[in-house]
Amino acid sequence: TEIYTLSLHDALPISMTRTLPFLAELQPELFVEVSPQLAAERGLVHGQWCHVVTSRTAVQARAVVTRRIPPLRVQGKVVHQLWMPYHFGNRGLATGDVMNDLLGIVTDPNVGIQEGKVATCDVRPGPRPTGKALLDYVADYRRRAGIV
C-alpha cells in the first residue's frame, strides 16, 4: 500500500503554496501522476519532464509514476487516468505551468471557484512546445479529434 500525502495547498488568488518557502520547497514544480502502464505506453520516466495536452493547450510537469492511479476497464477497453494538482502558476517561489490552463473557464455558481475537474487529455514525454509551435501543436490535436 502506498501512503499519499500532499503538502497543504491554498488555491486563493495569492496562493500560499507558491509564496511560502517551506511549502514551495516541498512541492516546487507542477507534477502529473500516471500509472506504470501509462508510463510504459507513453515512454514517461519518473521525475522527468512530460507534458499534458487538451484541446485548449499543453502544460509541462514532472512525471510521477505511481500505482495510485490505476487504469480502468470500460466496456472492455483500457482507459488510463492521470492526476495533477491545480495550485501552481507563474507567481511566487514555485513557478511554472498551471493545470487550470488545460480546462475551460467554468465557475461553480454556488461558491464561485473553478468547477472543472475532469477532462480528456494526452500525456507525452518531454517539455511542451512554446510560442507558435505550441499553437500549431494544439491545433493539430484539435484537427485530429474533430474539434473545430
Side-chain angles (χ1 to χ4, degrees):
T1 302
E2 292 185 48
I3 297 173
Y4 182 60
T5 304
L6 188 62
S7 63
L8 178 66
H9 281 285
D10 185 350
L12 298 174
I14 302 172
S15 179
M16 301 294 283
T17 304
R18 296 181 293 211
T19 59
L20 293 177
F22 56 91
L23 291 178
E25 182 180 0
L26 290 171
Q27 295 181 317
E29 299 169 317
L30 181 61
F31 60 91
V32 56
E33 292 191 3
V34 298
S35 68
Q37 296 91 333
L38 181 56
E41 204 174 286
R42 291 290 195 245
L44 306 175
V45 176
H46 182 80
Q48 296 296 310
W49 286 111
C50 65
H51 62 278
V52 178
V53 60
T54 68
S55 62
R56 293 181 56 81
T57 194
V59 300
Q60 64 187 26
R62 295 284 181 180
V64 174
V65 180
T66 176
R67 295 184 316 261
R68 288 188 295 260
I69 311 295
L72 304 173
R73 186 161 294 282
V74 178
Q75 295 181 348
K77 293 183 179 182
V78 174
V79 177
H80 291 286
Q81 310 175 80
L82 56 82
W83 184 87
M84 301 176 79
Y86 53 91
H87 302 293
F88 290 86
N90 59 5
R91 294 189 330 228
L93 299 171
T95 61
D97 287 352
V98 60
M99 178 272 195
N100 297 30
D101 290 345
L102 296 171
L103 305 173
I105 301 171
V106 180
T107 303
D108 182 306
N110 294 318
V111 293
I113 61 172
Q114 183 167 341
E115 178 269 340
K117 305 282 188 294
V118 176
T120 58
C121 64
D122 193 8
V123 60
R124 295 290 176 176
R128 66 170 170 76
T130 60
K132 183 171 180 339
L134 174 60
L135 299 176
D136 293 343
Y137 184 67
V138 173
D140 185 53
Y141 266 85
R142 287 183 191 142
R143 181 190 55 74
R144 288 185 287 134
I147 300 171
V148 179

